[in-house]
Amino acid sequence: MEKLAIVVPCYNEEEVLKIASEALRGVLDDLIRKGKIAEDSFILFVNDGSKDRTWELIEEEHQAHPVQVCGVKLAGNVGHQFALTAGLITAMDLSDVTVSIDADLQDDVAVIEEMIDKFHNGCDIVYGVRKERKTDTFFKRTTAQGFYKVMEMMGVKTVYNHADFRLMSKRAVEQFSKYQETNLFLRGMMPLIGYQTDCVYYDRKERVAGESKYPLKKMLALAFNGISSFSVKPISMILGSGVIIVLLSILAAIYALISYCTGHVVPGWTSLILSIWFLGGIQLMAVGLVGQYIGKIYIEVKHRPRYNIEKVLK
């Protein structure tokens, strides 16, 4: 019987941690009772440098349930994607299959059983996909859907309406561990692994307690990181824009020359100033975009550790 590890990245989740622990322990008990997972399956909470009592609560849960609840304490706040990676890599040597889920319980824990069933049928990766986004605000729903469409246009493979709620077999996690880049975007990396995949669908719920740890700023940063980490099309688009602007400039020069020769010159500087501003803006945008790519190369070539583990509760 396979040993399951449920990996839960946590950042300032003291309001919801005990609720999440109880719900996930209930899932483990149910799956063990049905004979679908091993009796020593466990939950692995990853504390991502929380500033509240999250780690203290993880320790309390571990003391109360030493077999079912384990913990990893990172030395500092490294971000959701790195914390999730730390949990997956740690769980890789301790389990046969992992399920990653956020602590806010907006993802439906009831479909974990369906994920396990698909795993037993030969799937190495099972994606949790939202049926719809009724619980999201209009702005978040619109921007999220736009993000997936932009990613598709850029040639990045992602699963539509999938976040980081997924099942991975041991060999899938082992393959993922070979991807050593620092600019992580797990939703785009998982399809690169290959192997047999499938999806389960669920209705996303309201957050049980606390506040979202992904405000607009972080959402935009994640979106840009996903695009720039997997596609060079933005640079190609800027090159194409530059070619178009050059052609338009040649046409404008021909028009100006004809106007000068025919004596139909209209005095004024507005068009000139607007042209300078427009071209200057395009140039600054192009330089900034190329600079972002160079910055990512700079970060990658340092090969610094992506996270430091301070303590592990097994």
Side-chain angles (χ1 to χ4, degrees), residues 6 35 62 85 135 155 174 183 202 257 314:
I6 302 179
H62 174 67
T85 299
T135 58
E174 288 175 343
N183 298 286
Y202 64 96
L257 182 60
K314 295 184 180 180

Side-chain angles (χ1 to χ4, degrees), residues 19-38:
I19 301 174
S21 177
E22 181 179 358
L24 294 173
R25 282 187 284 106
V27 171
L28 291 180
D29 290 337
D30 184 55
L31 293 174
I32 292 171
R33 186 172 62 254
K34 293 178 179 179
K36 294 187 176 183
I37 60 174

Side-chain angles (χ1 to χ4, degrees), residues 296-309:
K296 286 180 176 291
I297 296 171
Y298 171 69
I299 292 172
E300 290 288 350
V301 297
K302 291 191 214 179
H303 296 296
R304 290 179 177 174
R306 295 184 291 188
Y307 52 82
N308 294 321
I309 294 179

